[in-house]
Amino acid sequence: VVLQRAVAVGLPAWWAAPSARFGAPALRAFAATTGGRPPPRLRGVVFDMDGTLTVPNLDFGEMYRRCGVPKEKDVLAELAFMPPQRRAETAAIIEEMEAEGARTMVLMPGAAECA
C-alpha cells in the first residue's frame, strides 16, 4: 500500500521505506512541499564514526585524559562549565583527535558494499 501511494504521487519506489515508518501523512506532506517531484539527488552523506560503518579508532580514554575530564562525565557537556581559555584548549584537543580519527579512518568489512 505504501509503495502504491509513493508511486501514485510520483515518488520513486525507494521512497516508500521512510513512509512506512512515518505513515501516509508524512508522505502526503512531502509530496505537497515538492509538487509531487522526487526528492533532490543526494550529493553527500555524513556518518558518525561510531563503529557502524567505520572501525572505531578514537581513543576516548586518551581524549578524556588530555582534556582533564573524568571518564564518567560527558566531555562535550563539560565544555560549557570550563573557563573560556580552558574551553578553547579542550575544544582544540577534541578537534585534533577527531581530525586524526577521520584521517586514519578505515571502513568496516562489508560497508563499501552497502553504498
Side-chain angles (χ1 to χ4, degrees):
V1 172
V2 173
L3 178 58
Q4 291 169 341
R5 288 182 188 151
V7 173
V9 295
L11 297 174
W14 61 263
W15 186 252
S19 66
R21 286 194 303 268
F22 302 117
L27 182 61
R28 282 192 298 276
F30 174 81
T33 62
T34 63
R37 292 183 311 274
R41 183 175 164 197
L42 290 177
R43 289 189 262 169
V45 179
V46 177
F47 290 101
D48 191 16
M49 298 183 307
D50 63 359
T52 303
L53 295 175
T54 62
V55 176
N57 66 344
L58 289 177
D59 185 343
F60 287 102
E62 177 68 6
M63 181 183 290
Y64 276 70
R65 185 193 66 71
R66 287 183 59 195
C67 292
V69 175
K71 288 182 184 179
E72 62 274 1
K73 300 218 175 189
D74 181 331
V75 69
L76 297 177
E78 288 298 302
L79 287 173
F81 302 105
M82 295 178 180
Q85 179 65 32
R86 181 158 179 240
R87 182 181 316 131
E89 292 166 356
T90 302
I93 291 168
I94 294 168
E95 189 173 317
E96 170 201 326
M97 293 187 74
E98 288 185 346
E100 177 65 13
R103 190 184 68 71
T104 60
M105 174 182 62
V106 176
L107 289 177
M108 282 283 212
E113 291 78 17
C114 294

